[in-house]
Amino acid sequence: MEAAKEDTQEQYAALKAEGIKSSRDAMLKAIKQNQPAFIEAPSVPAFVPYFDDALQKYMDVLKAIGGRVYLVNNYEEIIQQIEADFAGAKKVVSFEKTFAAIAEMPDATNDPHGFADVDVCITTSPLAVAENGAVWISNKEMPVRVLPFIAQSLVAVIHKNSIVPTMHDAYDIIANEEYAFAIFIAGPSKTADIEQSLVLGAHGPKIMTVFIINE
Amino acid sequence: MQQQTKDHATLAAQFNKNEPRVDWHDETLWWVRTKRDIAAHTLPEWEALRDLASGIKNNVLSNMSAYLAAFEKKAVQNGVNVHWAADAKEHNEIIHTILKRHGINQMVKSKSMLTEECHLNHYLQEHGVEVIDTDLGERIVQLRQEPPSHIVLPAIHLKKEDVSNTFHEHLHTEKGNNDPNFLTAAARQHLREKFLTRRAALTGVNFAIAETGEFVVCTNEGNADMGAHLADVHIASMGFEKIIPLRKHLGVFLRLLTRSATGQPITTYSSHFRRPRKGQEMHIVIVDNGRSTQLGRADFRNSLKCIRCAACFNTCPVYRRSGGHSYHTAIAGPIGSILAPNLDMKQYADLPFASTLCGSCSNVCPVKINIHEQLYKWRQVLGKDGYTGKAKELSMKGMTFTLSHPAVYKTAGKMGRWFIKNVPFVVNNGLNPWYKERDMPEPPKASFGEWYKKNRK
Ligand code: SF4
């Protein structure tokens, strides 16, 4: 006996007989019939972070997951370091005016395929997470969605005080954000699909650098 | 995929012909499990998070229809097209219809176990649509015309020499170059061309948020995003159980998911798709395909809490030594052995027996699914529904498999001892022929192996 298959089919057949034609209505009805009695969702308590120094934790974790991290005092230092680290880069882009001297500001309405030759993409980020090394980037900072992926290297600039301990803290901040697209990015693109050997640079950036402005 | 006629024990025996390979498979997955342990033990609140995740999922199961309706409403407001598919066939047809409307016959796809479950690639191929899997592991197995053997590590059954040969044959890489860096770079180049030329991209969905109508996709490679952000049409396929109530619940699930899967604190990318980009079309296909039936089965509905981390695979002594393909279903391992019989009891009657019932799966599961208890319950259901004869035969085979593979039974033994002591009803039941004729009131003080030897005399 193939009970499950029959059950589903029977249930759907019965619903269709009742005059429910669309799969949508049939699915919602079948689900409603079969779901258990209502159970309240637990509330998420405030967990005390298991580390004291969020800045140190952030830097340690990011390094451990293959990222590069610099603690700097100002934008001049960042620009100098980018120039040193990416000396051979031909195409550097940023939507941040501060980097106008070293990066071109692209037209966000361009076809995204046109960004295939970008060497370095520099972006700001309003939020970073100490426990996992991630930065949060939404379409507000980065209007071209594909850029942080298609660029060979990604640079993110954060402020020390925008590092929160855990993901709970992060979602408390972004709970009501209105974005069209947003991402947490933690380190460079990576894969271990060949014999579990870690390789940096699967499809996205091979290098991910975070500058933390210490103020 | 062709109809499977062989059962787990037979397929496992095939996998076991290559002993060094099996040892490597076993040890590598155990290493992944160990990384999971380290990540889990770093968080003092780990158990509290598991309770929370399980509790939130209990709420989701109990309020599923309302959450789905709310999600749809929000997603439509966000400019996303929402489709509903009662079964695999409808899911495949919906996707084909979207592609046809755009005159698209080539698509890139990131990891989606649901599309494996629905055999989407095969269906589209038959209708003249080429699908390129873009996750590296999935691309490797696709080129070899094999299904993935693991939901997180699709090519874990292969060695780098195999990958090198496959790439040499299909991508014309240097023969005999087995360097993972070299091979990954070759795949990067090969797939970049696909990303840049395909007008449609399909992704899976890790979490869909009822509150906002957005969905989250997690990858390490960035392949879901490369596909979606370059394509004119983005289609996301989701089983309806992927829904969670609030955005802030992501805090709980994203903390658990990757730590459980690979021991990383989070995947490299956690992408929140809310609205299509300007000029892009975005579709979400919400699929049932037997899930509503599972939701109605009080004993098995908890399996719908699964977040597909594969921790239960990596810890399973049977999975590690029998390989993913021996499960002959899209989702292998302990959880797959619960999900598959729901879809087709006859075809998958063997899977609930591909387990020692040691309970390690339930102990690592981040959403606290009682996996081993459900496997046991499936055995009962299968017995009641006229599979008793088959059950005995399968169970015997399962035990034979376990006992003829020392590593499995040593691991099973250690945990089994705990199990027999704490949950005696599970092993001493009418369905398990090994225990039927043997009275086993006391847990053996000696190891399972010694106990077995003594009792055989
Ligand atoms: S059943 Fe639990 S452990 Fe297994 S894949 Fe699902 S969430 Fe992970």
Side-chain angles (χ1 to χ4, degrees):
Chain A
M1 191 183 90
E2 297 178 43
K5 244 186 191 169
E6 278 168 21
D7 286 351
T8 310
Q9 277 164 9
E10 271 166 30
Q11 192 163 19
Y12 276 109
L15 291 167
K16 295 240 156 116
E18 281 173 37
I20 295 173
K21 292 224 166 53
S22 77
S23 286
R24 175 197 183 274
D25 295 350
M27 274 171 71
L28 285 175
K29 189 105 192 253
I31 290 165
K32 197 165 185 179
Q33 279 171 0
N34 291 359
Q35 71 196 18
F38 184 78
I39 301 168
E40 205 73 58
S43 56
V44 182
F47 293 109
V48 180
Y50 63 97
F51 46 86
D52 295 326
D53 187 344
L55 172 66
Q56 191 57 48
K57 180 76 184 171
Y58 182 84
M59 296 198 293
D60 292 346
V61 173
L62 185 57
K63 277 184 225 159
I65 59 175
R68 296 181 184 177
V69 59
Y70 295 103
L71 190 59
V72 295
N73 294 307
N74 51 50
Y75 280 94
E76 287 77 66
E77 283 182 40
I78 298 175
I79 290 171
Q80 278 173 17
Q81 194 64 52
I82 291 175
E83 283 185 312
D85 285 359
F86 302 103
K90 288 196 193 78
K91 189 161 176 179
V92 182
V93 298
S94 180
F95 287 98
E96 188 57 45
K97 282 191 218 77
T98 325
F99 299 107
I102 53 165
E104 58 180 273
M105 190 175 305
D107 183 346
T109 60
N110 279 353
D111 178 352
H113 293 81
F115 296 104
D117 59 347
V118 169
D119 293 305
V120 185
C121 166
I122 309 170
T123 181
T124 55
S125 155
L127 177 65
V129 186
E131 69 165 329
N132 56 29
V135 291
W136 170 256
I137 300 167
S138 80
N139 53 293
K140 285 168 205 160
E141 297 78 41
M142 177 45 64
V144 178
R145 297 182 188 188
V146 80
L147 251 179
F149 299 91
I150 205 167
Q152 299 293 327
S153 299
L154 178 66
V155 174
V157 179
I158 63 173
H159 284 267
K160 186 176 82 177
N161 55 18
S162 57
I163 301 173
V164 296
T166 70
M167 291 296 277
H168 306 298
D169 305 309
Y171 279 108
D172 279 346
I173 292 170
I174 55 179
N176 300 309
E177 276 291 300
E178 286 289 333
Y179 48 75
F181 174 76
I183 7 162
F184 280 111
I185 301 183
S189 156
K190 58 173 79 72
T191 182
D193 274 347
I194 301 173
E195 265 197 25
Q196 280 295 291
S197 324
L198 182 67
V199 179
L200 301 185
H203 301 296
K206 297 170 185 171
I207 298 171
M208 157 79 174
T209 308
V210 175
F211 288 99
I212 306 170
I213 300 177
N214 193 3
E215 57 175 27
Chain B
M1 218 182 305
Q2 77 283 15
Q3 190 71 17
Q4 263 301 345
T5 47
K6 289 179 176 157
D7 62 25
H8 176 268
T10 313
L11 292 162
Q14 270 170 25
F15 182 74
N16 272 266
K17 282 190 183 133
N18 187 342
E19 278 253 9
R21 176 70 61 101
V22 177
D23 288 343
W24 182 85
H25 189 265
D26 181 19
E27 282 158 21
T28 306
L29 288 165
W30 185 253
W31 176 66
V32 178
R33 149 83 210 251
T34 310
K35 289 196 294 180
R36 171 256 171 224
D37 289 349
I38 295 166
H41 296 157
T42 308
L43 293 191
E45 62 267 39
W46 184 255
E47 290 305 317
L49 284 172
R50 289 177 72 213
D51 282 331
L52 272 174
S54 177
I56 294 166
K57 286 283 187 176
N58 279 334
N59 166 260
V60 168
L61 296 184
S62 75
N63 198 31
M64 188 71 84
S65 57
Y67 284 142
L68 285 167
F71 173 77
E72 177 193 41
K73 196 169 162 209
K74 283 288 179 183
V76 169
Q77 281 172 10
N78 295 340
V80 180
N81 304 286
V82 179
H83 310 261
W84 300 75
D87 53 25
K89 185 167 164 277
E90 195 173 5
H91 165 263
N92 295 348
E93 286 166 0
I94 288 167
I95 289 165
H96 187 218
T97 306
I98 297 168
L99 297 175
K100 255 199 314 212
R101 189 151 40 76
H102 290 270
I104 292 173
N105 57 11
Q106 291 179 313
M107 179 172 80
V108 285
K109 177 162 84 70
S110 68
K111 210 186 272 166
S112 152
M113 281 304 127
L114 176 60
T115 61
E116 292 290 330
E117 174 188 319
C118 296
H119 302 300
L120 175 71
N121 285 17
H122 181 75
Y123 173 90
L124 288 179
Q125 223 168 13
E126 287 203 323
H127 289 80
V129 180
E130 174 216 58
V131 182
I132 302 267
D133 286 325
T134 58
D135 172 84
L136 176 58
E138 287 208 327
R139 185 64 183 139
I140 293 166
V141 295
Q142 186 181 38
L143 289 171
R144 299 170 60 90
Q145 300 189 306
E146 290 172 358
S149 69
H150 186 288
I151 57 174
V152 172
L153 320 165
I156 194 66
H157 60 292
L158 298 171
K159 300 280 287 173
K160 57 188 179 205
E161 296 77 24
D162 304 321
V163 179
S164 175
N165 287 336
T166 303
F167 279 14
H168 173 65
E169 184 186 332
H170 296 276
L171 311 181
H172 314 296
T173 53
E174 183 190 346
K175 194 170 173 57
N177 191 332
N178 302 336
D179 176 9
N181 278 292
F182 167 79
L183 296 169
T184 302
R188 177 185 171 99
Q189 214 179 353
H190 159 69
L191 288 166
R192 197 158 254 252
E193 188 269 323
K194 310 292 178 208
F195 288 127
L196 287 166
T197 51
R198 300 312 191 250
R199 289 167 50 219
L202 189 142
T203 68
V205 168
N206 287 90
F207 304 98
I209 322 299
E211 173 194 31
T212 60
E214 75 198 279
F215 59 94
V216 173
V217 182
C218 305
T219 75
N220 275 323
E221 298 185 5
N223 56 317
D225 291 87
M226 279 292 275
H229 304 321
L230 289 168
D232 300 338
V233 182
H234 174 190
I235 305 168
S237 288
M238 62 175 264
F240 71 65
E241 79 281 15
K242 296 288 167 181
I243 204 97
I244 59 172
L246 303 174
R247 183 186 282 162
K248 69 167 194 202
H249 289 147
L250 287 167
V252 174
F253 289 104
L254 292 182
R255 291 188 89 192
L256 287 166
L257 176 63
T258 321
R259 287 184 172 95
S260 298
T262 61
Q264 294 167 260
I266 192 170
T267 46
T268 304
Y269 304 108
S270 310
S271 306
H272 299 52
F273 292 90
R274 184 131 177 260
R275 280 193 273 274
R277 64 166 205 279
K278 215 162 169 280
Q280 186 193 39
E281 219 176 86
M282 196 181 273
H283 298 265
I284 296 171
V285 188
I286 304 174
V287 182
D288 184 339
N289 203 35
R291 286 164 174 76
S292 57
T293 309
Q294 192 85 319
L295 186 62
R297 297 187 207 267
D299 284 344
F300 302 110
R301 66 166 58 107
N302 271 349
S303 61
L304 294 171
K305 293 176 175 179
C306 176
I307 58 172
R308 304 285 190 264
C309 72
C312 59
F313 291 48
N314 305 336
T315 200
C316 177
V318 174
Y319 176 85
R320 278 186 280 116
R321 294 199 68 85
S322 63
H325 290 157
S326 66
Y327 292 78
H328 58 93
T329 174
I331 298 173
I335 186 65
S337 303
I338 298 170
L339 298 174
N342 176 58
L343 278 175
D344 190 334
M345 276 200 210
K346 197 169 154 195
Q347 194 181 349
Y348 301 116
D350 55 324
L351 293 185
F353 297 91
S355 166
T356 63
L357 299 182
C358 71
S360 181
C361 46
S362 307
N363 286 332
V364 296
C365 178
V367 287
K368 297 191 97 164
I369 300 171
N370 54 336
I371 306 169
H372 69 291
E373 285 168 21
Q374 292 192 35
L375 287 167
Y376 166 67
K377 281 178 180 159
W378 262 126
R379 294 182 186 186
Q380 285 185 311
V381 171
L382 292 166
K384 271 202 207 98
D385 285 355
Y387 278 95
T388 318
K390 186 83 178 154
K392 262 200 272 187
E393 181 200 321
L394 289 166
S395 190
M396 196 62 107
K397 263 190 170 170
M399 285 307 283
T400 308
F401 170 73
T402 306
L403 294 168
S404 61
H405 295 84
V408 175
Y409 107 86
K410 255 185 250 150
T411 327
K414 273 179 236 157
M415 289 180 273
R417 236 169 11 232
W418 174 89
F419 203 77
I420 292 162
K421 194 168 139 213
N422 293 281
V423 202
F425 70 92
V426 175
V427 281
N428 195 6
N429 67 75
L431 270 180
N432 196 330
W434 258 104
Y435 295 101
K436 204 166 184 182
E437 259 95 84
R438 291 165 176 79
D439 201 18
M440 209 172 47
E442 292 271 2
K445 281 174 195 78
S447 81
F448 191 54
E450 283 165 0
W451 170 84
Y452 170 70
K453 260 193 223 156
K454 207 171 81 196
N455 280 266
R456 288 282 288 175
K457 276 176 195 155

